[in-house]
Amino acid sequence: MRDLLAKGENLPTLPAAVFQLHKVLDNEMAGPAQVAAVIERDPALTGRLLRAANSAAFNRGDRIGSVAAAVGRLGVDQIRAICLVLAVVKAFPNRSGSLDHSLFWLHSAAVGMMTEHLWGRFGSTPGVSGADLYTAGLLHDVGLLILEQYFQRDFHEARHEQMESGRRLWQCEEEHLGMDHGAVGGLLLGRWTLPAYISETVTNHHHPDQAEPEYREISRIVNAAEVICTEQGAALLDEGGADATSEEVLAELGCPPEETAAILDQVPTMVERAREFLN
Ligand SMILES: [Fe+2]
Ligand SMILES: [Fe+2]
């Protein structure tokens, strides 16, 4: 399986515009006009980006009418995150029916928002951007889409065993496939040349203690967002269940007990915003 993923044959590729966007964004001299010019080469992406930028998840002011305005208002990091998720939604159409894609994206978007929030409050790893962590949260389960589409039989068996045994889905995947959906997603994002801390975080989101020391804190944050969203009404197939509770994962991040309830209370609002963004 690792070989198959490494070769990457038949795996979805990034649309040209999103790939070029990476390159432009890696160039620190690039301004909003250059970023907008790359996106505008892809009319379908432009349309979807403007719709997303105007959803309640991102826009709290006047209507955004152009890509340049969207870049100016939301910032290049946020624009990169939105373009990436739009590309992933398109790369994995809802065909085979073994995963409910609406539920998948609702869970993913909620985990993305919670990840960015927790990062802003508790994160300290240097050189990491909040918007990139939003991307990591948003794409943390992208491996499930690959398993559903390319490894249907093994995935089905892993899910069956999860239901029979009550064990965690990621553990059953490791047993049946040799790696879990986090590792599968991390390999795809690595191929897409996303920053290493995004792919490493996705790889380790169910077992943050296995991450290399420099990626451990951010992996813990995505894991905490996953546990919180799963417990507070944005679950996906029970895949986000963990042996620790929301309170415990927050305490591990250094959250004082009196702040816990306020963080958990944000999940329904995040789910609402996610719903609108995905519509
Ligand atoms: Fe997961
Ligand atoms: Fe998840």
Side-chain angles (χ1 to χ4, degrees):
M1 180 165 171
R2 197 175 281 275
D3 275 1
L4 212 87
L5 289 166
K7 276 196 221 120
E9 284 160 13
N10 303 325
L11 279 185
T13 50
L14 274 187
V18 181
F19 190 70
Q20 284 157 7
L21 190 62
H22 273 323
K23 285 214 218 136
V24 170
L25 293 177
D26 282 343
N27 170 6
E28 283 173 14
M29 305 300 284
Q34 279 162 290
V35 172
V38 170
I39 295 171
E40 280 165 350
R41 272 182 232 150
D42 184 333
L45 179 64
T46 301
R48 283 179 290 136
L49 173 68
L50 285 177
R51 216 166 71 185
N54 277 306
S55 74
F58 298 102
N59 187 14
R60 315 236 152 70
D62 297 339
R63 236 192 122 61
I64 298 172
S66 69
V67 177
V71 177
R73 182 91 60 86
L74 303 179
V76 285
D77 285 347
Q78 194 75 264
I79 292 292
R80 163 153 62 182
I82 298 173
C83 287
L84 258 173
V85 71
L86 293 175
V88 177
V89 171
K90 203 160 160 244
F92 294 96
N94 195 1
R95 272 198 225 109
S96 70
S98 86
L99 261 187
D100 176 340
H101 282 218
S102 332
L103 201 62
F104 175 90
W105 285 113
L106 204 63
H107 168 76
S108 300
V111 170
M113 288 180 218
M114 182 54 82
T115 297
E116 191 174 12
H117 179 75
L118 295 177
W119 169 253
R121 178 67 189 81
F122 306 110
S124 63
T125 307
V128 173
S129 98
D132 275 354
L133 267 200
Y134 170 76
T135 306
L138 198 60
L139 298 181
H140 74 285
D141 277 337
V142 72
L144 286 175
L145 296 178
I146 296 183
L147 295 185
E148 182 206 29
Q149 199 159 311
Y150 297 89
F151 301 92
Q152 282 172 16
R153 215 193 57 213
D154 297 293
F155 184 49
H156 182 79
E157 281 170 13
R159 283 193 58 190
H160 185 73
E161 197 201 312
Q162 178 207 12
M163 284 184 265
E164 296 272 289
S165 68
R167 293 168 64 216
R168 304 288 169 214
L169 179 60
W170 68 271
Q171 291 167 327
C172 300
E173 289 164 353
E174 275 191 344
E175 221 169 271
H176 281 268
L177 294 131
M179 62 205 300
D180 70 2
H181 62 267
V184 173
L187 279 172
L188 179 75
L189 300 181
R191 284 186 63 79
W192 285 0
T193 64
L194 261 63
Y197 63 80
I198 296 186
S199 50
E200 287 296 321
T201 305
V202 169
T203 299
N204 292 295
H205 76 269
H206 282 292
H207 34 73
D209 292 340
Q210 290 175 23
E212 295 292 326
E214 72 250 58
Y215 304 124
R216 208 163 286 157
E217 183 198 41
I218 49 182
S219 302
R220 271 194 193 125
I221 286 180
V222 176
N223 177 256
E226 163 100 296
V227 172
I228 292 168
C229 290
T230 298
E231 273 190 8
Q232 305 298 315
L236 171 71
L237 307 172
D238 270 352
E239 67 81 31
D243 298 325
T245 62
S246 296
E247 287 77 7
E248 286 165 345
V249 289
L250 279 172
E252 208 189 337
L253 295 181
C255 176
E258 63 275 15
E259 218 181 290
T260 307
I263 291 177
L264 303 188
D265 282 352
Q266 295 195 30
V267 176
T269 316
M270 288 177 178
V271 170
E272 256 331 290
R273 282 165 54 195
R275 200 165 268 137
E276 212 186 301
F277 164 51
L278 298 165
N279 259 332

